[in-house]
């Protein structure tokens, strides 16, 4: 909310070819990412908001089944020491130059091919809604 910059863990949304430093662009490229947080940290936020344990358990079942459109569930393993969620409603951009200047950046994980396809589907549902938003789109621009 303050606009303060902090180092966070995140999942990259940008196409890999768009952020490859070997690909020169006329305009400075930006890296799009969504922060990731531990699922346990999300539980603490819900508990602090006085959400019941039963409701939290239900939310977690939905999250783990990828049924919450604003969150992408990342299971423990393949480089992640715990369960995480990507906050798809909290997208940020960072100049690519600034990202590559960071010496302490670390690649945490790579999605498997099925995970990658699920991620693409999840992003499409989250950002496009495929006609579920109830907006009449009959006028031409």
């Amino acid at each position: 909310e303050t606009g303060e910059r902090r180092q966070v863990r995140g999942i990259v949304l940008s196409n890999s070819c768009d952020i490859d430093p070997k690909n020169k662009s006329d305009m400075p490229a930006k890296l799009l990412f969504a922060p990731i947080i531990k699922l346990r940290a999300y539980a603490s936020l819900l508990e602090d908001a006085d959400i019941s344990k039963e409701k939290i358990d239900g939310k977690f079942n939905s999250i783990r089944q990828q049924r919450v459109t604003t969150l992408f569930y990342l299971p423990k393993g393949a480089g992640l020491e715990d369960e995480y969620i990507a906050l798809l409603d909290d997208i940020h951009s960072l100049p690519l130059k600034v990202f590559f200047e960071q010496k302490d950046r670390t690649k945490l994980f790579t999605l498997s091919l099925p995970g990658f396809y699920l991620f693409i589907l999840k992003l499409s549902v989250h950002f496009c809604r495929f006609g579920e938003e109830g907006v009449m789109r009959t006028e031409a621009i």
Side-chain angles (χ1 to χ4, degrees):
E1 289 82 32
T2 65
E4 172 190 1
R5 286 186 178 225
R6 295 180 303 174
Q7 189 171 7
V8 298
R9 290 179 172 201
I11 188 166
V12 174
L13 305 177
S14 298
N15 289 321
S16 55
C17 59
D18 293 340
I19 60 172
D20 186 337
K22 293 179 228 154
N23 290 337
K24 300 302 176 200
S25 175
D26 293 334
M27 299 296 294
K30 291 193 174 186
L31 175 91
L32 286 176
F33 70 95
I36 62 172
I37 62 171
K38 288 184 179 181
L39 193 58
R40 286 186 285 135
Y42 187 62
S44 295
L45 293 173
L46 295 174
E47 290 165 0
D48 291 346
D50 290 326
I51 307 295
S52 71
K53 181 174 178 3
E54 294 78 26
K55 193 168 183 181
I56 291 172
D57 290 344
K59 282 184 178 290
F60 277 30
N61 285 335
S62 294
I63 289 168
R64 287 182 177 111
Q65 294 172 9
Q66 300 289 7
R67 292 184 177 186
V68 179
T69 61
T70 58
L71 303 173
F72 183 67
Y73 173 70
L74 296 159
K76 178 180 177 179
L80 293 176
E81 77 283 356
D82 209 339
E83 294 176 292
Y84 279 81
I85 52 174
L87 309 175
L88 300 180
D89 61 351
D90 191 18
I91 305 303
H92 298 267
S93 69
L94 176 72
L96 193 58
K97 179 182 176 191
V98 172
F99 175 74
F100 281 118
E101 287 172 352
Q102 299 296 314
K103 300 299 179 212
D104 55 347
R105 61 185 160 80
T106 304
K107 184 175 184 176
L108 301 173
F109 63 94
T110 299
L111 295 173
S112 65
L113 192 56
F116 175 68
Y117 286 130
L118 181 59
F119 187 53
I120 290 171
L121 179 64
K122 196 77 180 259
L123 289 173
S124 297
V125 168
H126 177 67
F127 288 111
C128 300
R129 297 286 185 203
F130 301 119
E132 294 179 21
E133 76 246 350
V135 174
M136 296 300 290
R137 300 191 185 277
T138 56
E139 295 182 27
I141 294 178

